Amino acid sequence: SDRQGPAFEEPYPQDSLRIVDTAYLSYADMRAASQSQRYWITGVKADMLFSDQQGRLWNLTEWLRSRPADEQVVQGWVRAGKGDQVPVRLIALRLPEEAVRRRQQRAKREVERRPRRKGVQRCGRRAKPGPGRQPRKRAKKRHKVSASKQRQVEWLLVLTNVDGSVLDAQQVVALMRLRWQIELLWKLWKQEGQIDTWRSSKPQRILTELYAK
């Protein structure tokens, strides 16, 4: 599992920086890392609630709508969450019109529903369909984006516990974008290299097959 194993469970060194997906960093993780002088950068969940420095509780979408139209970069320390809040630095970067259009197009696109193939697979090739039998077409489904996410399409949103005196807003965003290149590499390895499928359940053979791929 992506959530288990030594690499995930072992704490990273003090004074180091971790760039992590929102699914793998809870508010409790954020607080624990900050208290132990470990730093992180992550995305923002569309339904995030937070309190500003005046103590007002905001919904992320409402807060973005309240920003002046000519404001390009917004950043500041807030307290994320509704109950047990944690101090975080929120950065919002307004995107160019072209980038917004691309996001809107991706939100409406249709994608093929690929069969879920993971883990041990049977050896050998699948039998070819008989005469007159058409190969099954992959079903298509519409890419679903939440309503909250669609209303935030004009912004690139990032959370961190790194102070602005160490990394400014543009540097934080640049690091977050570099992380996406790693995600694309993993996607390539899984889809084209099929590194998450194996022909055996024995760890040694799985490792051998992984090296061969």
Side-chain angles (χ1 to χ4, degrees):
S1 170
D2 292 341
R3 296 175 181 270
Q4 296 179 350
F8 183 79
E9 297 169 357
E10 184 177 348
Y12 51 106
Q14 284 189 347
D15 298 319
S16 61
L17 176 64
R18 181 184 180 196
I19 306 174
V20 59
D21 188 88
T22 54
Y24 299 95
L25 195 66
S26 65
Y27 288 153
D29 295 331
M30 295 177 183
R31 180 182 294 103
S34 298
Q35 292 173 349
S36 58
Q37 295 183 329
R38 293 175 173 86
Y39 300 96
W40 46 264
I41 299 173
T42 188
V44 183
K45 294 184 178 179
D47 58 352
M48 186 182 83
L49 299 175
F50 64 91
S51 297
D52 60 18
Q53 295 181 351
Q54 288 71 41
R56 177 178 175 180
L57 185 66
W58 285 94
N59 171 286
L60 182 59
T61 302
E62 294 175 352
W63 179 76
L64 291 173
R65 286 178 174 175
S66 72
R67 312 315 304 177
D70 60 345
E71 195 168 25
Q72 299 300 314
V73 181
V74 192
Q75 62 174 319
W77 287 89
V78 301
R79 300 189 67 84
K82 188 176 181 180
D84 190 13
Q85 296 182 316
V86 56
V88 297
R89 181 180 166 208
L90 173 60
I91 298 172
L93 177 67
R94 194 185 294 272
L95 296 172
E97 292 183 3
E98 180 60 30
V100 174
R101 282 196 294 270
R102 288 198 300 267
R103 279 189 166 195
Q104 291 171 337
Q105 290 172 357
R106 285 199 300 267
K108 298 177 182 178
R109 76 185 188 276
E110 286 189 346
V111 295
E112 288 185 345
R113 183 177 299 169
R114 294 177 177 268
R116 186 172 180 81
R117 298 178 60 194
K118 190 174 182 179
V120 181
Q121 303 293 322
R122 289 183 300 177
C123 298
R125 297 182 178 180
R126 293 183 178 181
K128 295 182 179 180
R133 185 178 177 183
Q134 297 296 326
R136 186 173 60 180
K137 294 182 179 180
R138 287 177 178 170
K140 290 188 176 182
K141 64 177 181 178
R142 186 164 294 280
H143 183 65
K144 293 182 179 180
V145 178
S146 68
S148 298
K149 198 73 174 177
Q150 290 183 33
R151 288 191 288 267
Q152 299 165 13
V153 71
E154 297 179 3
W155 297 88
L156 194 158
L157 303 165
V158 183
L159 290 180
T160 185
N161 64 342
V162 180
D163 193 77
S165 60
V166 179
L167 291 175
D168 62 32
Q170 298 290 348
Q171 290 172 324
V172 172
V173 169
L175 288 171
M176 192 66 182
R177 284 172 167 163
L178 284 175
R179 179 193 172 278
W180 181 242
Q181 300 304 313
I182 299 174
E183 291 292 325
L184 293 177
L185 178 60
W186 276 106
K187 181 180 178 182
L188 177 65
W189 283 350
K190 288 182 177 181
Q191 289 188 354
E192 303 299 331
Q194 298 182 0
I195 63 169
D196 56 346
T197 61
W198 320 289
R199 295 172 178 242
S200 172
S201 59
K202 296 181 179 180
Q204 297 86 351
R205 293 189 176 183
I206 293 174
L207 189 60
T208 301
E209 187 173 349
L210 178 63
Y211 285 146
K213 290 178 177 179

